[in-house]
Amino acid sequence: MMTIEHAIKNVDDVVAKARASSLRLIKDSEERFIDSVTGRNVMTTEQAIAIVDEQRELVLDELDEAMKRLRAWLLRGGVDIH
């Protein structure tokens, strides 16, 4: 029988994996953006990095909120209660 603690641990593991995967996608997107704009000589590397740095905090805040919603949804059993 699964205890509440075990279920919470499973949910936290799923959320951690989702967050890690999301962070990898964000990093890949940042790298592609920098490569794209510098490769076309639209921006210098420093300019592109500055834009990425500006946006990163906002993106990470949004990711944290999404992970909180995912965790809450999973803890409810993956059922929307509207």
Side-chain angles (χ1 to χ4, degrees), residues 12-62:
D12 289 341
D13 288 347
V14 168
V15 171
K17 287 177 185 175
R19 181 176 173 71
S21 178
S22 296
L23 289 172
R24 281 191 300 277
L25 290 171
I26 291 166
K27 182 173 175 51
D28 290 347
S29 295
E30 290 174 347
E31 290 172 359
R32 282 194 310 275
F33 170 77
I34 292 169
D35 290 345
S36 174
V37 296
T38 58
R40 293 179 288 134
N41 292 321
V42 175
M43 292 180 193
T44 65
T45 301
E46 293 77 19
Q47 290 170 320
I49 290 172
I51 288 173
V52 165
D53 288 345
E54 273 179 31
Q55 296 299 311
R56 186 177 297 123
E57 186 173 336
L58 176 63
V59 169
L60 293 178
D61 286 346
E62 289 176 8

Side-chain angles (χ1 to χ4, degrees), residues 69 71-82:
R69 288 191 307 273
R71 184 176 190 274
W73 182 75
L74 289 170
L75 288 173
R76 286 193 310 269
V79 178
D80 287 324
I81 50 173
H82 293 262

